[in-house]
Amino acid sequence: MLMFAHVDINNCYVSCERLFRPELEGRVVVVLSNNDGCVIARSNEAKALGIKMADAEFMVRKHLKENNAVIFSSNYPLYADMSARLMNNLSRYTYTLMVYSIDEAFMALGDITGLDLEKHACMISRNVMRDTGLPITIGVGPTMALAKLANKAAKKLKRAYLVLDTAEKIDNTIKNFPIEDVWGVGIAYYNKLVAYGIKTAHDFRELKSDFVRQHMTVQGWRLHQELWGKPCNIIRDVADRSKGIESSQSFNTYQTNLEAIEEAVAMHAATVALKLRQQKSMAVTLTVYIRTNKHNVKHDQHYPSITVKVPFAANSTHQLTRVAVQAIRAIWQSGYNYLKTGVRATGIIPEGEVQYNLFAGYEHSREQKLASLIDDLNKRYGRGTLRLAAEGFDRKWVMKQEFLSQQYTTNWKEIVVTK
């Protein structure tokens, strides 16, 4: 019998911060979004105070101060590194691991004949905490949807893991499980199901299969089948290249100068290139965009974007940066107060499937060697140690991070020192 496990980090960003600040256990802790704008992660203590996801920082500032809260700016290099450590650890327990997001993954458990799943899940949870210091929750089920559901149910029960390996356990768990919490039920599906009187996962499962296919397309039908324990989704051990790779960021203040915007675009292009190399992929097209603040009605609005074809599929920082900077020059217009820019790579293909032109003279091997050199030096001395001049040096436009913690694992200068 094939079983799946869904694993995620409890309060991921908060847990990463607490890992290096153990004195914060039991304290109210929140992590803020780009430019310290709103709450994107909360400790259980913060949740108990009524702090909600996406609450604007200025609206809850007084409440947090009154409760002696600890506030952090988002430290993405730290979170990404801790995520990589978790995924490497989880790969020891499965032949196929699918990284679903920075804080969660699906595992195929394979042939479980004779395996005590309760003890196995407990062992994984205990070992991950020992090896990474990160608290996780594990849901186990015969399909990916049921594994995800088991994970959420375990959190509600305040358990480290929950195993749904019998029809009785599945029935008892989905009986009162809210339909809006089921994996794959977005706002459109939710509104449609509520209109039909569907309130729980059990109600949804009781619908006729043909009715679900007719009103919820193939994806809804697959979810319906998975809640009955029939696997329809497949765990893939490679990155999903159909979604593309994006890097974007709001400025700390309005930008009207093209040079500053070019620096930001160059930085985003370099980030996209690095992500492509990490998953051994290359991009065929780049989309570059820039935006004003749609919430500021006093300013004229401008949301231009441009999609350009890369001469040859590439993951070279030099190549993608050159294309991205040329693109932003084509769409930028003076007289606007720009607040955000970004770069998105699409048409992503594996490195080994690139078709080159015999007469183009593109020095692929040279670009790859240069990219490898940059990656090696930055990995050794800290991200951003070596970068293209186009990315700028003083970067006065970077987002506000007044509460940024140290880059404990990615910067030699900020590594923890014992005395």
Side-chain angles (χ1 to χ4, degrees):
M1 179 181 179
L2 178 65
M3 295 290 282
F4 299 87
H6 176 261
V7 181
D8 72 352
I9 306 172
N10 301 335
N11 306 323
C12 177
Y13 295 171
V14 170
S15 294
C16 290
E17 298 289 358
R18 278 178 166 174
L19 180 59
F20 298 93
R21 295 279 303 279
E23 73 275 12
L24 298 182
E25 288 293 337
R27 294 275 301 275
V28 177
V29 180
V30 298
V31 178
L32 304 178
S33 64
N34 292 348
N35 282 319
D36 297 340
C38 61
V39 175
I40 57 172
R42 308 156 293 161
S43 65
N44 290 334
E45 295 78 10
K47 295 175 183 177
L49 289 177
I51 304 298
K52 297 181 176 60
M53 286 289 285
D55 273 351
E57 186 273 335
F58 73 90
M59 295 183 65
V60 297
R61 186 181 302 157
K62 182 179 179 182
H63 193 30
L64 291 172
K65 186 175 182 180
E66 290 173 346
N67 288 276
N68 196 28
V70 179
I71 302 173
F72 289 101
S73 300
S74 47
N75 188 343
Y76 296 120
L78 173 65
Y79 309 149
D81 184 64
M82 295 312 302
S83 171
R85 294 174 186 231
L86 170 68
M87 302 310 169
N88 287 335
N89 196 282
L90 291 177
S91 64
R92 299 159 53 190
Y93 307 105
T94 179
Y95 64 91
T96 306
L97 177 75
M98 185 176 80
V99 178
Y100 193 64
S101 69
I102 191 172
D103 67 336
E104 60 181 321
F106 285 96
M107 300 193 303
L109 298 183
D111 185 4
I112 60 166
T113 304
L115 180 66
D116 188 324
L117 287 173
E118 296 277 347
K119 291 183 178 179
H120 190 62
C122 180
M123 179 268 293
I124 294 175
S125 176
R126 184 178 62 248
N127 288 355
V128 166
M129 173 59 79
R130 180 196 65 197
D131 297 337
T132 69
L134 296 171
I136 62 172
T137 299
I138 304 174
V140 179
T143 67
M144 292 173 65
L146 285 172
K148 180 86 170 180
L149 187 148
N151 188 298
K152 285 194 174 184
K155 282 187 168 65
K156 293 179 180 181
L157 296 171
K158 297 182 179 180
R159 295 179 53 180
Y161 56 88
L162 179 64
V163 177
L164 302 180
D165 55 353
T166 66
E168 182 180 3
K169 289 180 181 179
I170 294 172
D171 292 343
N172 290 337
T173 303
I174 71 169
K175 183 182 300 182
N176 298 308
F177 195 88
I179 188 62
E180 62 267 28
D181 289 343
V182 174
W183 182 43
V185 177
I187 186 66
Y189 277 168
Y190 172 72
N191 290 334
K192 184 176 292 188
L193 290 171
V194 169
Y196 288 114
I198 307 301
K199 297 181 180 180
T200 67
H202 175 268
D203 295 338
F204 175 64
R205 200 174 68 160
E206 291 302 305
L207 292 173
K208 297 293 184 181
S209 178
D210 290 342
F211 177 89
V212 174
R213 183 187 283 274
Q214 180 181 355
H215 292 87
M216 295 185 65
T217 72
V218 174
Q219 194 61 35
W221 177 82
R222 288 174 179 169
L223 173 60
H224 183 261
Q225 295 297 297
E226 290 228 335
L227 290 180
W228 278 108
K230 302 173 183 178
C232 294
N233 293 305
I234 301 173
I235 286 186
R236 298 177 176 86
D237 59 355
V238 296
D240 184 354
R241 298 185 174 92
S242 63
K243 296 181 179 180
I245 294 175
E246 181 172 346
S247 175
S248 63
Q249 189 181 98
S250 297
F251 301 118
N252 59 9
T253 186
Y254 293 118
Q255 295 295 325
T256 58
N257 186 289
L258 176 59
E259 183 179 354
I261 295 172
E262 285 181 355
E263 289 180 358
V265 166
M267 182 192 73
H268 294 315
T271 300
V272 167
L274 175 61
K275 292 180 178 180
L276 285 167
R277 293 195 295 272
Q278 288 174 338
Q279 70 173 42
K280 301 185 184 306
S281 298
M282 291 191 170
V284 175
T285 56
L286 281 186
T287 298
V288 179
Y289 60 88
I290 190 169
R291 298 171 182 168
T292 51
N293 184 359
K294 65 180 180 180
H295 301 293
N296 191 333
V297 295
K298 296 180 180 179
H299 292 170
D300 292 334
Q301 301 299 311
H302 194 218
Y303 315 114
S305 68
I306 185 171
T307 299
V308 294
K309 192 174 186 303
V310 181
F312 297 99
N315 59 15
S316 159
T317 299
H318 177 262
Q319 180 80 349
L320 295 187
T321 298
R322 181 169 55 189
V323 172
V325 170
Q326 290 174 347
I328 196 64
R329 289 173 181 170
I331 62 174
W332 176 85
Q333 292 184 23
S334 62
Y336 291 99
N337 296 299
Y338 293 110
L339 187 63
K340 183 177 182 179
T341 188
V343 175
R344 183 186 306 114
T346 52
I348 298 174
I349 61 176
E351 281 182 338
E353 297 180 10
V354 179
Q355 181 68 49
Y356 297 103
N357 188 322
L358 180 63
F359 306 102
Y362 177 61
E363 299 183 38
H364 172 68
S365 60
R366 178 180 177 275
E367 291 286 347
Q368 292 301 104
K369 289 178 181 178
L370 180 59
S372 296
L373 176 61
I374 293 175
D375 291 344
D376 290 344
L377 289 172
N378 286 335
K379 185 175 181 179
R380 182 172 182 178
Y381 296 106
R383 187 175 179 179
T385 299
L386 184 63
R387 60 178 185 263
L388 297 183
E391 298 179 48
F393 294 95
D394 55 0
R395 293 185 174 182
K396 296 179 181 179
W397 42 265
V398 296
M399 63 182 178
K400 181 173 68 174
Q401 292 180 301
E402 293 183 0
F403 312 102
L404 186 64
S405 58
Q406 294 176 219
Q407 295 180 20
Y408 301 101
T409 63
T410 58
N411 190 329
W412 282 109
K413 296 179 181 178
E414 299 184 8
I415 196 170
V416 175
V417 177
T418 59
K419 297 182 179 178

